[in-house]
């Protein structure tokens, strides 16, 4: 991984992981699932590594935090991409299964892994998967989002992701039990939601869970349908977000 920059960035409020991948040769970068409250962190890291942001990639329509996509689009030259099934308006590129992305000299593959939401994507770069909420370390996303489908989620994980090589690294969308990275072999053998669990059982378990999503879910979903634009971010962007930090 010569002259490639990789950072796992954490938002403590939502326990979200965001990922920066940068090509040092061309000084271009992508950011996966950025969170609105961490814009200063992203801009700082980009500046420190002398990278310019080409793309913000969303794994799905988030209900637990507001995306920084629109704000980053305003204060960098980034464009925004998400699944065509995500229900996110105003994206610059709509993605489908098996699409590929080129950022500098880096290739990123798009895998549709629907279930948690209809538009869930997993991004694959080199030996790494960015699974969003489709596959978490020892867990998976809930099926209480708009359009959730437990059968599809089970199939996405067991038929798509678990078919990849054991050593493929799993970088999830959220921090569970303070774990930051796993691999396909470990999740196939140890993830209690999938290992030794039938599809019917998985759906029964997940359907029976109480909805623990934050009360702010509706407003987060609403903002994220516009790439994370809210009245507040719009005002801030008029002042010039980059100037404030
Ligand atoms: Fe989610």
């Amino acid at each position: 991984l010569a002259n490639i920059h990789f950072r796992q960035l954490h938002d403590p409020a939502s326990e979200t992981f965001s990922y920066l991948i940068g090509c040092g040769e061309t000084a271009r970068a992508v950011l996966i699932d950025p969170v609105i409250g961490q814009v200063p962190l992203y801009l700082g890291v980009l500046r420190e590594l002398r990278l310019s942001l080409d793309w913000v990639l969303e794994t799905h329509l988030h209900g637990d935090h507001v995306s920084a996509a629109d704000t980053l689009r305003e204060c960098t030259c980034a464009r925004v991409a998400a699944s065509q099934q995500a229900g996110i308006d105003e994206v610059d590129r709509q993605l489908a299964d098996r699409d590929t992305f080129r950022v500098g000299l880096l290739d990123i593959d798009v895998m549709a892994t629907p279930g948690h939401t209809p538009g869930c994507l997993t991004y694959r770069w080199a030996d790494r998967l960015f699974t969003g909420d489709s596959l978490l370390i020892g867990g998976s996303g809930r099926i209480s989002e708009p359009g959730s489908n437990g059968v599809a989620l089970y199939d996405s994980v067991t038929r798509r992701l678990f078919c990849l090589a054991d050593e493929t690294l799993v970088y999830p969308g959220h921090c569970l039990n303070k774990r930051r990275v796993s691999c396909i072999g470990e999740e196939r053998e140890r993830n209690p939601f999938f290992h030794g669990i039938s599809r019917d059982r998985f759906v029964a378990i997940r359907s029976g869970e109480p909805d623990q999503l934050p009360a702010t879910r509706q407003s987060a979903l609403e903002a994220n349908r516009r790439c994370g634009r809210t009245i507040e971010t719009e005002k801030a962007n008029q002042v010039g977000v980059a100037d404030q930090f």
Side-chain angles (χ1 to χ4, degrees):
L1 302 179
N3 210 4
I4 291 170
H5 302 285
F6 178 67
R7 296 282 189 282
Q8 182 182 46
L9 303 161
H10 181 234
D11 175 59
S14 61
E15 289 291 0
T16 299
F17 283 134
S18 309
Y19 299 92
L20 178 87
I21 310 169
C23 168
E25 290 298 324
T26 59
R28 319 305 300 181
V30 295
L31 200 43
I32 299 172
D33 285 345
V35 179
I36 190 72
Q38 301 298 334
V39 169
L41 171 67
Y42 309 139
L43 295 178
V45 175
L46 287 163
R47 204 177 301 131
E48 179 191 315
L49 298 174
R50 298 176 195 281
L51 295 168
S52 64
L53 189 61
D54 262 8
W55 286 98
V56 170
L57 307 180
E58 298 282 14
T59 56
H60 64 292
L61 176 68
H62 302 283
D64 64 309
H65 66 266
V66 174
S67 165
D70 189 67
T71 297
L72 288 166
R73 181 159 58 183
E74 291 292 324
C75 63
T76 70
C77 42
R79 288 165 291 169
V80 180
S83 165
Q84 57 193 12
Q85 315 292 331
I88 303 174
D89 299 327
E90 304 170 27
V91 293
D92 301 284
R93 183 173 163 188
Q94 291 195 325
L95 299 171
D97 191 37
R98 297 176 203 278
D99 278 355
T100 57
F101 240 92
R102 187 141 250 250
V103 177
L105 305 177
L106 310 177
D107 289 309
I108 296 171
D109 300 320
V110 176
M111 299 172 73
T113 50
H116 169 62
T117 71
C120 278
L121 298 177
T122 291
Y123 295 103
R124 183 181 190 174
W125 165 64
D127 59 353
R128 290 153 205 226
L129 296 173
F130 304 93
T131 53
D133 292 357
S134 298
L135 177 61
L136 300 170
I137 301 175
S140 81
R142 292 169 177 272
I143 53 169
S144 48
E145 297 286 317
S148 283
N149 181 324
V151 170
L153 177 56
Y154 185 88
D155 287 350
S156 289
V157 172
T158 58
R159 296 187 181 179
R160 271 318 275 285
L161 300 179
F162 284 177
C163 292
L164 300 169
D166 282 11
E167 58 274 21
T168 312
L169 297 172
V170 173
Y171 284 95
H174 287 286
C175 184
L176 286 185
N177 306 316
K178 301 197 189 297
R179 291 284 310 274
R180 288 179 165 266
V181 59
S182 177
C183 66
I184 286 295
E186 178 179 339
E187 294 310 312
R188 201 194 297 113
E189 296 307 313
R190 294 200 192 165
N191 190 311
F193 284 93
F194 300 102
H195 181 69
I197 303 288
S198 71
R199 187 160 76 175
D200 289 349
R201 180 94 190 99
F202 173 81
V203 173
I205 292 168
R206 296 255 82 164
S207 311
E209 289 170 343
D211 188 351
Q212 290 182 350
L213 284 166
T216 53
R217 172 164 70 162
Q218 277 317 322
S219 58
L221 287 171
E222 221 169 275
N224 289 336
R225 288 196 179 96
R226 300 185 301 261
C227 296
R229 196 168 73 245
T230 64
I231 292 163
E232 291 78 46
T233 64
E234 215 158 47
K235 272 190 205 145
N237 290 339
Q238 280 164 6
V239 181
V241 172
D243 303 340
Q244 298 175 45
F245 307 127

Short mmCIF file of all heavy atoms in Angstrom, two decimals, residues 98-155:
data_model
loop_
_atom_site.label_atom_id
_atom_site.label_comp_id
_atom_site.label_asym_id
_atom_site.label_seq_id
_atom_site.Cartn_x
_atom_site.Cartn_y
_atom_site.Cartn_z
N ARG A 98 -22.01 -3.86 -8.78
CA ARG A 98 -20.87 -4.11 -9.69
C ARG A 98 -20.35 -2.87 -10.42
O ARG A 98 -19.53 -2.99 -11.33
CB ARG A 98 -21.19 -5.22 -10.70
CG ARG A 98 -21.44 -6.55 -9.99
CD ARG A 98 -21.87 -7.66 -10.93
NE ARG A 98 -22.60 -8.70 -10.21
CZ ARG A 98 -22.04 -9.66 -9.51
NH1 ARG A 98 -20.74 -9.74 -9.42
NH2 ARG A 98 -22.77 -10.55 -8.88
N ASP A 99 -20.85 -1.70 -10.05
CA ASP A 99 -20.23 -0.47 -10.58
C ASP A 99 -18.81 -0.37 -10.03
O ASP A 99 -18.50 -0.97 -8.99
CB ASP A 99 -21.01 0.77 -10.12
CG ASP A 99 -22.22 1.04 -10.99
OD1 ASP A 99 -22.38 0.33 -12.00
OD2 ASP A 99 -22.99 1.95 -10.66
N THR A 100 -17.97 0.37 -10.71
CA THR A 100 -16.63 0.60 -10.19
C THR A 100 -16.34 2.09 -10.17
O THR A 100 -16.94 2.86 -10.91
CB THR A 100 -15.55 -0.09 -11.04
OG1 THR A 100 -15.67 0.38 -12.38
CG2 THR A 100 -15.70 -1.60 -11.01
N PHE A 101 -15.46 2.45 -9.29
CA PHE A 101 -15.10 3.82 -9.04
C PHE A 101 -13.62 3.98 -9.18
O PHE A 101 -12.86 3.13 -8.69
CB PHE A 101 -15.40 4.10 -7.56
CG PHE A 101 -16.39 5.16 -7.38
CD1 PHE A 101 -17.73 4.85 -7.27
CD2 PHE A 101 -15.98 6.48 -7.32
CE1 PHE A 101 -18.65 5.83 -7.10
CE2 PHE A 101 -16.91 7.47 -7.16
CZ PHE A 101 -18.25 7.15 -7.04
N ARG A 102 -13.15 5.03 -9.78
CA ARG A 102 -11.71 5.24 -9.83
C ARG A 102 -11.43 6.56 -9.11
O ARG A 102 -12.03 7.59 -9.44
CB ARG A 102 -11.28 5.33 -11.30
CG ARG A 102 -9.80 5.39 -11.48
CD ARG A 102 -9.37 4.56 -12.66
NE ARG A 102 -8.65 3.39 -12.20
CZ ARG A 102 -7.34 3.22 -12.39
NH1 ARG A 102 -6.63 4.11 -13.03
NH2 ARG A 102 -6.74 2.13 -11.93
N VAL A 103 -10.56 6.51 -8.14
CA VAL A 103 -10.16 7.72 -7.43
C VAL A 103 -8.64 7.77 -7.48
O VAL A 103 -7.98 6.93 -6.87
CB VAL A 103 -10.66 7.69 -5.97
CG1 VAL A 103 -10.17 8.92 -5.23
CG2 VAL A 103 -12.18 7.65 -5.95
N GLY A 104 -8.12 8.71 -8.23
CA GLY A 104 -6.68 8.68 -8.47
C GLY A 104 -6.33 7.36 -9.12
O GLY A 104 -6.91 6.98 -10.14
N LEU A 105 -5.42 6.62 -8.50
CA LEU A 105 -5.03 5.32 -9.06
C LEU A 105 -5.73 4.16 -8.36
O LEU A 105 -5.39 3.00 -8.57
CB LEU A 105 -3.51 5.15 -8.94
CG LEU A 105 -2.66 6.27 -9.57
CD1 LEU A 105 -1.18 6.01 -9.32
CD2 LEU A 105 -2.95 6.39 -11.06
N LEU A 106 -6.71 4.49 -7.51
CA LEU A 106 -7.36 3.45 -6.71
C LEU A 106 -8.69 3.04 -7.33
O LEU A 106 -9.44 3.88 -7.80
CB LEU A 106 -7.62 3.97 -5.29
CG LEU A 106 -6.44 4.61 -4.58
CD1 LEU A 106 -6.88 5.13 -3.22
CD2 LEU A 106 -5.32 3.59 -4.42
N ASP A 107 -8.96 1.74 -7.28
CA ASP A 107 -10.23 1.23 -7.78
C ASP A 107 -11.10 0.77 -6.62
O ASP A 107 -10.64 0.04 -5.75
CB ASP A 107 -9.99 0.05 -8.73
CG ASP A 107 -9.40 0.53 -10.04
OD1 ASP A 107 -9.96 1.46 -10.64
OD2 ASP A 107 -8.34 -0.01 -10.45
N ILE A 108 -12.32 1.20 -6.64
CA ILE A 108 -13.29 0.80 -5.61
C ILE A 108 -14.46 0.13 -6.31
O ILE A 108 -14.99 0.65 -7.29
CB ILE A 108 -13.76 2.04 -4.81
CG1 ILE A 108 -12.57 2.64 -4.06
CG2 ILE A 108 -14.89 1.68 -3.86
CD1 ILE A 108 -12.84 3.98 -3.41
N ASP A 109 -14.83 -1.05 -5.80
CA ASP A 109 -15.96 -1.79 -6.38
C ASP A 109 -17.20 -1.60 -5.52
O ASP A 109 -17.11 -1.49 -4.30
CB ASP A 109 -15.65 -3.29 -6.45
CG ASP A 109 -14.43 -3.56 -7.31
OD1 ASP A 109 -14.29 -2.90 -8.36
OD2 ASP A 109 -13.62 -4.42 -6.92
N VAL A 110 -18.34 -1.62 -6.18
CA VAL A 110 -19.62 -1.43 -5.49
C VAL A 110 -20.34 -2.78 -5.44
O VAL A 110 -20.49 -3.45 -6.47
CB VAL A 110 -20.49 -0.41 -6.26
CG1 VAL A 110 -21.87 -0.29 -5.61
CG2 VAL A 110 -19.78 0.95 -6.33
N MET A 111 -20.76 -3.17 -4.24
CA MET A 111 -21.56 -4.39 -4.09
C MET A 111 -22.90 -4.02 -3.45
O MET A 111 -22.91 -3.38 -2.39
CB MET A 111 -20.86 -5.39 -3.16
CG MET A 111 -19.51 -5.86 -3.64
SD MET A 111 -18.68 -6.86 -2.35
CE MET A 111 -19.65 -8.37 -2.42
N ALA A 112 -23.98 -4.40 -4.07
CA ALA A 112 -25.29 -4.17 -3.45
C ALA A 112 -25.49 -5.20 -2.35
O ALA A 112 -25.39 -6.40 -2.60
CB ALA A 112 -26.39 -4.27 -4.50
N THR A 113 -25.72 -4.73 -1.11
CA THR A 113 -25.98 -5.65 0.01
C THR A 113 -27.25 -5.18 0.73
O THR A 113 -27.21 -4.77 1.88
CB THR A 113 -24.78 -5.71 0.99
OG1 THR A 113 -24.36 -4.37 1.33
CG2 THR A 113 -23.61 -6.44 0.37
N PRO A 114 -28.39 -5.24 0.03
CA PRO A 114 -29.63 -4.70 0.60
C PRO A 114 -30.15 -5.52 1.79
O PRO A 114 -29.74 -6.67 1.97
CB PRO A 114 -30.61 -4.81 -0.58
CG PRO A 114 -30.09 -5.94 -1.40
CD PRO A 114 -28.59 -5.86 -1.28
N GLY A 115 -31.03 -4.92 2.56
CA GLY A 115 -31.66 -5.62 3.67
C GLY A 115 -31.90 -4.69 4.85
O GLY A 115 -33.04 -4.42 5.21
N HIS A 116 -30.83 -4.19 5.44
CA HIS A 116 -30.98 -3.18 6.50
C HIS A 116 -31.79 -2.01 5.91
O HIS A 116 -32.75 -1.54 6.52
CB HIS A 116 -29.59 -2.75 6.97
CG HIS A 116 -29.56 -1.56 7.87
ND1 HIS A 116 -30.18 -1.52 9.09
CD2 HIS A 116 -28.99 -0.33 7.71
CE1 HIS A 116 -29.98 -0.32 9.66
NE2 HIS A 116 -29.27 0.41 8.82
N THR A 117 -31.39 -1.55 4.73
CA THR A 117 -32.22 -0.65 3.91
C THR A 117 -32.16 -1.20 2.47
O THR A 117 -31.25 -1.96 2.15
CB THR A 117 -31.69 0.81 3.90
OG1 THR A 117 -30.47 0.86 3.15
CG2 THR A 117 -31.45 1.34 5.31
N PRO A 118 -33.11 -0.78 1.61
CA PRO A 118 -33.09 -1.30 0.23
C PRO A 118 -31.84 -0.87 -0.53
O PRO A 118 -31.42 -1.54 -1.47
CB PRO A 118 -34.33 -0.68 -0.41
CG PRO A 118 -35.16 -0.15 0.72
CD PRO A 118 -34.26 0.10 1.87
N GLY A 119 -31.25 0.26 -0.15
CA GLY A 119 -30.11 0.80 -0.91
C GLY A 119 -28.77 0.60 -0.23
O GLY A 119 -27.84 1.35 -0.51
N CYS A 120 -28.65 -0.39 0.63
CA CYS A 120 -27.36 -0.60 1.30
C CYS A 120 -26.31 -1.09 0.31
O CYS A 120 -26.53 -2.04 -0.44
CB CYS A 120 -27.49 -1.63 2.42
SG CYS A 120 -28.15 -0.95 3.95
N LEU A 121 -25.16 -0.44 0.35
CA LEU A 121 -24.02 -0.86 -0.47
C LEU A 121 -22.86 -1.23 0.43
O LEU A 121 -22.70 -0.70 1.53
CB LEU A 121 -23.56 0.30 -1.37
CG LEU A 121 -24.54 0.84 -2.40
CD1 LEU A 121 -23.91 2.02 -3.14
CD2 LEU A 121 -24.95 -0.25 -3.39
N THR A 122 -22.03 -2.16 -0.06
CA THR A 122 -20.72 -2.41 0.52
C THR A 122 -19.70 -1.97 -0.51
O THR A 122 -19.84 -2.28 -1.70
CB THR A 122 -20.55 -3.91 0.84
OG1 THR A 122 -21.44 -4.26 1.91
CG2 THR A 122 -19.11 -4.24 1.23
N TYR A 123 -18.73 -1.19 -0.08
CA TYR A 123 -17.67 -0.77 -0.99
C TYR A 123 -16.46 -1.67 -0.75
O TYR A 123 -16.14 -2.02 0.39
CB TYR A 123 -17.28 0.69 -0.75
CG TYR A 123 -18.41 1.64 -1.06
CD1 TYR A 123 -19.17 2.21 -0.05
CD2 TYR A 123 -18.72 1.96 -2.38
CE1 TYR A 123 -20.22 3.08 -0.32
CE2 TYR A 123 -19.77 2.83 -2.67
CZ TYR A 123 -20.51 3.38 -1.64
OH TYR A 123 -21.55 4.23 -1.94
N ARG A 124 -15.80 -2.03 -1.84
CA ARG A 124 -14.63 -2.89 -1.71
C ARG A 124 -13.43 -2.19 -2.32
O ARG A 124 -13.47 -1.75 -3.48
CB ARG A 124 -14.90 -4.19 -2.46
CG ARG A 124 -13.77 -5.18 -2.33
CD ARG A 124 -14.09 -6.44 -3.12
NE ARG A 124 -13.12 -7.47 -2.81
CZ ARG A 124 -13.18 -8.72 -3.23
NH1 ARG A 124 -14.17 -9.12 -3.98
NH2 ARG A 124 -12.24 -9.58 -2.91
N TRP A 125 -12.39 -2.05 -1.53
CA TRP A 125 -11.14 -1.49 -2.04
C TRP A 125 -10.00 -2.39 -1.58
O TRP A 125 -9.90 -2.70 -0.39
CB TRP A 125 -10.92 -0.06 -1.52
CG TRP A 125 -9.52 0.40 -1.71
CD1 TRP A 125 -8.88 0.59 -2.90
CD2 TRP A 125 -8.56 0.65 -0.69
NE1 TRP A 125 -7.58 0.96 -2.68
CE2 TRP A 125 -7.36 1.00 -1.33
CE3 TRP A 125 -8.61 0.60 0.71
CZ2 TRP A 125 -6.20 1.31 -0.62
CZ3 TRP A 125 -7.46 0.92 1.43
CH2 TRP A 125 -6.28 1.27 0.74
N ALA A 126 -9.18 -2.84 -2.51
CA ALA A 126 -8.06 -3.74 -2.23
C ALA A 126 -8.57 -4.92 -1.40
O ALA A 126 -9.51 -5.59 -1.80
CB ALA A 126 -6.94 -2.97 -1.54
N ASP A 127 -7.99 -5.17 -0.23
CA ASP A 127 -8.41 -6.32 0.59
C ASP A 127 -9.43 -5.91 1.64
O ASP A 127 -9.62 -6.60 2.62
CB ASP A 127 -7.19 -6.95 1.26
CG ASP A 127 -6.45 -5.96 2.14
OD1 ASP A 127 -6.79 -4.74 2.13
OD2 ASP A 127 -5.52 -6.38 2.86
N ARG A 128 -10.09 -4.76 1.44
CA ARG A 128 -10.97 -4.21 2.48
C ARG A 128 -12.41 -4.02 2.02
O ARG A 128 -12.65 -3.54 0.92
CB ARG A 128 -10.43 -2.84 2.93
CG ARG A 128 -9.16 -2.99 3.69
CD ARG A 128 -8.27 -1.79 3.60
NE ARG A 128 -6.92 -2.28 3.85
CZ ARG A 128 -6.06 -1.71 4.65
NH1 ARG A 128 -6.35 -0.58 5.24
NH2 ARG A 128 -4.88 -2.25 4.84
N LEU A 129 -13.31 -4.35 2.93
CA LEU A 129 -14.73 -4.10 2.68
C LEU A 129 -15.21 -3.03 3.64
O LEU A 129 -14.87 -3.06 4.82
CB LEU A 129 -15.55 -5.36 2.97
CG LEU A 129 -15.32 -6.59 2.13
CD1 LEU A 129 -16.14 -7.75 2.73
CD2 LEU A 129 -15.71 -6.35 0.68
N PHE A 130 -16.03 -2.13 3.13
CA PHE A 130 -16.67 -1.13 3.96
C PHE A 130 -18.16 -1.47 3.93
O PHE A 130 -18.85 -1.21 2.94
CB PHE A 130 -16.35 0.27 3.44
CG PHE A 130 -14.86 0.48 3.39
CD1 PHE A 130 -14.15 0.23 2.22
CD2 PHE A 130 -14.16 0.81 4.53
CE1 PHE A 130 -12.77 0.33 2.19
CE2 PHE A 130 -12.78 0.92 4.51
CZ PHE A 130 -12.07 0.67 3.34
N THR A 131 -18.59 -2.12 5.00
CA THR A 131 -19.87 -2.83 4.97
C THR A 131 -21.05 -2.00 5.46
O THR A 131 -22.18 -2.50 5.44
CB THR A 131 -19.77 -4.12 5.81
OG1 THR A 131 -19.29 -3.78 7.12
CG2 THR A 131 -18.85 -5.13 5.18
N GLY A 132 -20.80 -0.76 5.89
CA GLY A 132 -21.91 0.04 6.41
C GLY A 132 -22.57 -0.70 7.56
O GLY A 132 -21.90 -1.22 8.45
N ASP A 133 -23.91 -0.80 7.52
CA ASP A 133 -24.64 -1.52 8.58
C ASP A 133 -25.05 -2.91 8.14
O ASP A 133 -25.76 -3.60 8.86
CB ASP A 133 -25.89 -0.74 9.00
CG ASP A 133 -25.55 0.56 9.71
OD1 ASP A 133 -24.35 0.83 9.92
OD2 ASP A 133 -26.48 1.31 10.04
N SER A 134 -24.63 -3.33 6.94
CA SER A 134 -25.02 -4.67 6.49
C SER A 134 -24.36 -5.73 7.35
O SER A 134 -25.00 -6.67 7.81
CB SER A 134 -24.61 -4.87 5.03
OG SER A 134 -25.29 -3.95 4.20
N LEU A 135 -23.08 -5.57 7.60
CA LEU A 135 -22.35 -6.50 8.46
C LEU A 135 -21.53 -5.69 9.45
O LEU A 135 -20.66 -4.90 9.06
CB LEU A 135 -21.42 -7.39 7.61
CG LEU A 135 -20.54 -8.38 8.38
CD1 LEU A 135 -21.38 -9.37 9.19
CD2 LEU A 135 -19.61 -9.13 7.42
N LEU A 136 -21.84 -5.87 10.74
CA LEU A 136 -21.05 -5.23 11.80
C LEU A 136 -20.20 -6.31 12.45
O LEU A 136 -20.39 -7.50 12.20
CB LEU A 136 -21.99 -4.60 12.83
CG LEU A 136 -22.94 -3.51 12.27
CD1 LEU A 136 -23.99 -3.12 13.31
CD2 LEU A 136 -22.16 -2.29 11.81
N ILE A 137 -19.26 -5.91 13.28
CA ILE A 137 -18.40 -6.91 13.92
C ILE A 137 -19.21 -7.60 15.02
O ILE A 137 -19.59 -6.99 16.00
CB ILE A 137 -17.12 -6.26 14.48
CG1 ILE A 137 -16.36 -5.58 13.33
CG2 ILE A 137 -16.26 -7.30 15.18
CD1 ILE A 137 -15.13 -4.80 13.78
N GLY A 138 -19.52 -8.87 14.79
CA GLY A 138 -20.38 -9.60 15.73
C GLY A 138 -21.83 -9.13 15.69
O GLY A 138 -22.57 -9.36 16.64
N GLY A 139 -22.22 -8.49 14.63
CA GLY A 139 -23.60 -8.00 14.56
C GLY A 139 -24.01 -7.69 13.14
O GLY A 139 -23.34 -8.07 12.17
N SER A 140 -25.13 -7.02 13.02
CA SER A 140 -25.59 -6.52 11.71
C SER A 140 -26.58 -5.41 11.99
O SER A 140 -27.00 -5.23 13.13
CB SER A 140 -26.25 -7.62 10.89
OG SER A 140 -27.59 -7.80 11.29
N GLY A 141 -26.94 -4.67 10.93
CA GLY A 141 -27.91 -3.60 11.11
C GLY A 141 -29.27 -4.16 11.48
O GLY A 141 -29.58 -5.32 11.24
N ARG A 142 -30.08 -3.31 12.08
CA ARG A 142 -31.44 -3.72 12.44
C ARG A 142 -32.33 -3.71 11.20
O ARG A 142 -31.94 -3.19 10.16
CB ARG A 142 -32.00 -2.74 13.46
CG ARG A 142 -31.30 -2.84 14.78
CD ARG A 142 -31.67 -1.70 15.72
NE ARG A 142 -31.00 -1.92 16.98
CZ ARG A 142 -31.51 -2.65 17.97
NH1 ARG A 142 -32.70 -3.18 17.86
NH2 ARG A 142 -30.83 -2.84 19.08
N ILE A 143 -33.51 -4.28 11.35
CA ILE A 143 -34.44 -4.27 10.21
C ILE A 143 -35.66 -3.42 10.55
O ILE A 143 -36.78 -3.76 10.20
CB ILE A 143 -34.80 -5.69 9.74
CG1 ILE A 143 -35.33 -6.54 10.89
CG2 ILE A 143 -33.61 -6.37 9.11
CD1 ILE A 143 -35.95 -7.86 10.40
N SER A 144 -35.38 -2.28 11.19
CA SER A 144 -36.47 -1.36 11.55
C SER A 144 -36.37 -0.04 10.79
O SER A 144 -36.95 0.96 11.19
CB SER A 144 -36.44 -1.11 13.06
OG SER A 144 -35.13 -0.80 13.49
N GLU A 145 -35.62 -0.04 9.69
CA GLU A 145 -35.49 1.16 8.87
C GLU A 145 -36.58 1.14 7.78
O GLU A 145 -37.14 0.08 7.49
CB GLU A 145 -34.12 1.17 8.18
CG GLU A 145 -32.94 1.24 9.13
CD GLU A 145 -32.76 2.61 9.75
OE1 GLU A 145 -32.87 3.61 9.03
OE2 GLU A 145 -32.54 2.68 10.97
N PRO A 146 -36.85 2.29 7.15
CA PRO A 146 -37.82 2.26 6.04
C PRO A 146 -37.35 1.30 4.94
O PRO A 146 -36.22 1.42 4.47
CB PRO A 146 -37.80 3.71 5.52
CG PRO A 146 -37.21 4.53 6.63
CD PRO A 146 -36.31 3.62 7.41
N GLY A 147 -38.20 0.34 4.61
CA GLY A 147 -37.86 -0.60 3.54
C GLY A 147 -36.96 -1.75 3.97
O GLY A 147 -36.48 -2.51 3.13
N SER A 148 -36.72 -1.90 5.27
CA SER A 148 -35.88 -3.01 5.75
C SER A 148 -36.46 -4.36 5.32
O SER A 148 -37.68 -4.53 5.29
CB SER A 148 -35.81 -3.01 7.29
OG SER A 148 -34.94 -2.05 7.78
N ASN A 149 -35.57 -5.31 5.06
CA ASN A 149 -36.01 -6.65 4.65
C ASN A 149 -35.02 -7.67 5.21
O ASN A 149 -33.88 -7.75 4.76
CB ASN A 149 -36.05 -6.70 3.12
CG ASN A 149 -36.53 -8.03 2.60
OD1 ASN A 149 -36.24 -9.09 3.17
ND2 ASN A 149 -37.28 -8.00 1.52
N GLY A 150 -35.49 -8.41 6.22
CA GLY A 150 -34.61 -9.34 6.92
C GLY A 150 -34.08 -10.46 6.04
O GLY A 150 -32.92 -10.87 6.15
N VAL A 151 -34.93 -10.96 5.15
CA VAL A 151 -34.52 -12.04 4.24
C VAL A 151 -33.39 -11.54 3.34
O VAL A 151 -32.36 -12.20 3.16
CB VAL A 151 -35.72 -12.53 3.40
CG1 VAL A 151 -35.26 -13.47 2.30
CG2 VAL A 151 -36.75 -13.20 4.29
N ALA A 152 -33.58 -10.34 2.79
CA ALA A 152 -32.55 -9.77 1.91
C ALA A 152 -31.25 -9.53 2.68
O ALA A 152 -30.16 -9.79 2.15
CB ALA A 152 -33.06 -8.46 1.30
N LEU A 153 -31.36 -9.07 3.91
CA LEU A 153 -30.15 -8.81 4.70
C LEU A 153 -29.38 -10.10 4.96
O LEU A 153 -28.15 -10.17 4.79
CB LEU A 153 -30.52 -8.13 6.04
CG LEU A 153 -29.38 -7.86 7.02
CD1 LEU A 153 -28.27 -7.03 6.37
CD2 LEU A 153 -29.89 -7.15 8.27
N TYR A 154 -30.10 -11.14 5.34
CA TYR A 154 -29.46 -12.43 5.60
C TYR A 154 -28.75 -12.94 4.33
O TYR A 154 -27.61 -13.39 4.37
CB TYR A 154 -30.51 -13.44 6.06
CG TYR A 154 -29.94 -14.78 6.46
CD1 TYR A 154 -29.50 -15.00 7.76
CD2 TYR A 154 -29.84 -15.82 5.53
CE1 TYR A 154 -28.98 -16.23 8.13
CE2 TYR A 154 -29.32 -17.05 5.89
CZ TYR A 154 -28.89 -17.25 7.20
OH TYR A 154 -28.36 -18.46 7.56
N ASP A 155 -29.45 -12.83 3.20
CA ASP A 155 -28.87 -13.29 1.93
C ASP A 155 -27.67 -12.44 1.52
O ASP A 155 -26.67 -12.97 1.01
CB ASP A 155 -29.91 -13.29 0.82
CG ASP A 155 -30.92 -14.43 0.99
OD1 ASP A 155 -30.68 -15.30 1.85
OD2 ASP A 155 -31.93 -14.43 0.27
#
